[in-house]
């Protein structure tokens, strides 16, 4: 019987693959490019600031999902790493022995994976419910491991976190009483503070008062926290203004992006990540179209005036529109007129989401090109274990 037309037999295993690119020019676009010198400098600067204020920097690795970047953060002075998903926890446990899962593991599979990680490294989990706490404690006790617990309090973002110091006290007391878990402290995320760092005085003072009161309530119940985990990139350089904080989890600052520059948390020259793209059309006057669309840049537009990115070398040129595989460059603020085939590098609004859309990160120091895998991308327990 002949095969139906249009159907092709599967390729034999081991068919030749394209050799890896050696330089930026050889990369097929769109591709994520990072400058390893800036990545290392951003890590060092963050760790230095933290050290100067007696804080531990425990960066959130959701921004890069890559062991290579995790290692640079640790070499730069990070103390442990933060993760959000079981996959991130499993992968980052290969590069550090101290992992914070800053996300409640809910559901049997996620709890089992967290407990397995706790068998390998010191694991701490931030959570905000008795349901999450008890399931975690029971699974950990069954496996004969101990998982650290931070009780999460909402400080204004209205996402996760119990709503009062008294609720923190109750959950912390419960954690102390259960086998399988160890009460280690409290966590909060000041994600509601998204104004320029020069305008953060009042929200940070309010936050500090709130944390101060929390510490009083816990102290008088003999539940003084060993760890007070907070921090974000927009507030990073003012973290020391919040009373009692012991560690900060800022992650975005490893690469920075348009949004962080707008909030004064970074300079444009600190942006270590961009999406390399090729101009594919100049047919419509006043614009150029590149091959980086929403599937490379992401469609996040927070506070960026309806635009989705800007050129690294010409920040006045913005991405004014996106389809899945098309990005529209607005040429109204420049006399530059790109030609088809010309390449550009685009800094996205929110780097963490863009990085998660990539096959890999390409580290380019101006001389050498290296592929950095993002082993922590993806979710399910059925994903193959990443190669070491
Ligand atoms: C719980 C938690 N901690 C830390 C971070 C890192 O903050 P940033 O992205 O501002 O660096 C995030 C970011 O979303 C977060 O959700």
């Amino acid at each position: 019987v002949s095969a139906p037309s249009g159907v092709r037999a599967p390729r034999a295993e081991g068919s030749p693959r394209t050799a890896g690119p050696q330089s930026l020019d050889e990369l097929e676009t769109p591709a994520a490019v990072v400058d390893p010198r800036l990545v290392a400098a951003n890590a060092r600067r963050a760790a230095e600031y933290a050290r100067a204020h007696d804080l531990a920097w425990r960066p959130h690795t959701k921004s890069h999902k890559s062991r290579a970047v995790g290692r640079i953060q640790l070499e730069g002075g990070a103390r442990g790493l933060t993760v959000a998903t079981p996959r991130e926890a499993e992968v980052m446990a290969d590069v550090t022995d101290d992992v914070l899962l800053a996300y409640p593991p809910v559901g049997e599979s996620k709890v089992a994976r967290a407990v397995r990680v706790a068998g390998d490294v010191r694991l701490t989990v931030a959570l905000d419910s008795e349901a999450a706490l008890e399931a975690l404690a029971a699974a950990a006790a069954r496996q004969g491991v101990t998982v650290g617990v931070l009780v999460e309090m909402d400080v204004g973002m209205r996402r996760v976190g119990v709503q009062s110091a008294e609720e923190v006290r109750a959950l912390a007391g419960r954690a102390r009483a259960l086998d399988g878990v160890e009460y280690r402290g409290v966590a909060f995320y000041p994600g509601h503070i998204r104004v320029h760092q020069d305008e953060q005085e009042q929200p940070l003072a309010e936050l500090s008062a709130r944390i101060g009161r929390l510490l009083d309530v816990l102290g008088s119940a003999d539940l003084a926290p060993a760890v007070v985990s907070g921090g974000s990139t927009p507030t990073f350089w003012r973290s020391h203004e919040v009373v009692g904080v012991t560690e900060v989890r800022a992650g975005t600052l490893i690469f920075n992006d348009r949004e962080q520059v707008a909030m004064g948390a970074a300079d444009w020259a600190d942006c270590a990540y961009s999406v390399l793209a090729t101009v594919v059309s100049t047919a419509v006057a006043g614009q150029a179209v590149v091959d980086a669309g929403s599937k490379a840049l992401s469609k996040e537009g927070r506070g960026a005036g309806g635009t989705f990115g800007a050129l690294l070398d010409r920040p006045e040129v913005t991405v004014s529109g996106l389809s899945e595989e098309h990005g529209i460059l607005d040429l109204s603020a420049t006399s530059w007129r790109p030609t088809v085939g010309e390449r550009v590098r685009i800094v996205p609004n929110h780097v963490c989401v863009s990085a998660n859309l990539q096959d890999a990160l390409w580290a380019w120091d101006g001389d050498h090109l290296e592929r950095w895998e993002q082993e922590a991308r993806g979710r399910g327990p059925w994903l193959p274990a990443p190669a070491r």
Side-chain angles (χ1 to χ4, degrees):
V1 192
S2 62
S5 71
V7 176
R8 210 176 143 180
R11 253 183 222 236
E13 291 269 342
S15 354
R17 298 185 58 191
T18 317
Q22 301 296 309
S23 73
L24 225 47
D25 295 343
E26 292 178 23
L27 269 182
E28 184 173 310
T29 59
V33 175
V34 298
D35 185 327
R37 299 161 299 185
L38 289 179
V39 171
N42 289 341
R44 270 196 310 272
R45 193 168 346 115
E48 262 163 39
Y49 162 83
R51 232 184 339 263
H53 294 282
D54 209 14
L55 297 165
W57 177 45
R58 182 189 287 280
H60 206 312
T61 55
K62 50 111 193 177
S63 303
H64 54 76
K65 302 212 176 209
S66 164
R67 281 198 202 112
V69 180
R71 273 193 209 98
I72 291 172
Q73 291 175 315
L74 292 159
E75 283 161 13
R79 280 205 243 144
L81 297 173
T82 302
V83 301
T85 70
R87 176 78 175 182
E88 290 169 10
E90 288 158 358
V91 166
M92 295 308 158
D94 287 343
V95 297
T96 178
D97 58 7
D98 188 350
V99 173
L100 169 62
L101 176 58
Y103 197 100
V106 173
E108 222 172 280
S109 172
K110 285 184 177 174
V111 172
R113 293 173 78 184
V115 166
R116 230 173 289 133
V117 169
D120 273 354
V121 299
R122 183 177 203 269
L123 179 73
T124 309
V125 171
L127 46 75
D128 70 356
S129 71
E130 219 167 290
L133 173 66
E134 304 218 344
L136 182 65
R142 266 197 307 276
Q143 292 301 312
V145 300
T146 300
V147 179
V149 164
L150 303 183
V151 178
E152 175 113 24
M153 185 165 94
D154 175 22
V155 292
M157 191 181 184
R158 301 194 65 72
R159 188 175 66 176
V160 293
V162 299
Q163 297 296 301
S164 68
E166 288 69 23
E167 284 177 76
V168 175
R169 181 178 61 198
L171 204 51
R174 187 76 190 118
R176 185 168 274 174
L178 286 170
D179 287 338
V181 288
E182 177 183 271
Y183 164 65
R184 291 189 183 146
V186 296
F188 66 91
Y189 179 58
H192 61 298
I193 305 179
R194 306 204 79 83
V195 291
H196 193 279
Q197 65 168 11
D198 295 345
E199 294 157 19
Q200 291 172 0
E201 182 111 10
Q202 193 197 335
L204 285 175
E206 283 168 14
L207 174 59
S208 191
R210 211 158 173 171
I211 300 299
R213 174 157 189 281
L214 171 64
L215 297 181
D216 289 345
V217 167
L218 292 175
S220 53
D222 197 24
L223 287 163
V227 174
V228 178
S229 178
S232 68
T233 295
T235 63
F236 185 75
W237 309 104
R238 300 185 70 162
S239 298
H240 60 281
E241 294 177 34
V242 183
V243 70
V245 172
T246 65
E247 71 172 28
V248 280
R249 302 187 305 269
T252 304
L253 54 67
I254 195 63
F255 292 145
N256 293 308
D257 56 25
R258 227 173 143 221
E259 188 183 24
Q260 301 306 333
V261 172
M263 287 188 286
D267 290 334
W268 194 250
D270 304 324
C271 289
Y273 173 105
S274 60
V275 175
L276 181 69
T278 303
V279 174
V280 296
S281 171
T282 56
V284 178
Q287 67 177 47
V289 180
V290 294
D291 57 2
S294 61
K295 286 183 171 170
L297 295 170
S298 98
K299 216 157 187 171
E300 292 221 10
R302 296 186 297 196
T307 61
F308 302 102
L311 298 193
L312 183 63
D313 299 326
R314 303 174 192 274
E316 70 280 10
V317 178
T318 58
V319 180
S320 58
L322 288 174
S323 307
E324 289 176 49
E325 302 290 353
H326 302 76
I328 311 294
L329 300 184
D330 176 358
L331 302 180
S332 61
T334 178
S335 57
W336 171 67
R337 288 293 171 265
T339 52
V340 169
E342 201 166 334
R343 288 180 159 208
V344 296
R345 289 174 65 175
I346 303 167
V347 178
N349 291 343
H350 186 183
V351 68
C352 315
V353 193
S354 172
N356 187 55
L357 296 169
Q358 311 301 328
D359 296 333
L361 303 172
W362 294 94
W364 172 248
D365 65 3
D367 241 346
H368 294 102
L369 189 69
E370 207 178 290
R371 182 182 164 117
W372 288 352
E373 299 301 334
Q374 293 172 282
E375 302 91 341
R377 283 183 62 232
R379 296 181 183 281
W382 44 81
L383 275 183
R388 294 206 179 187

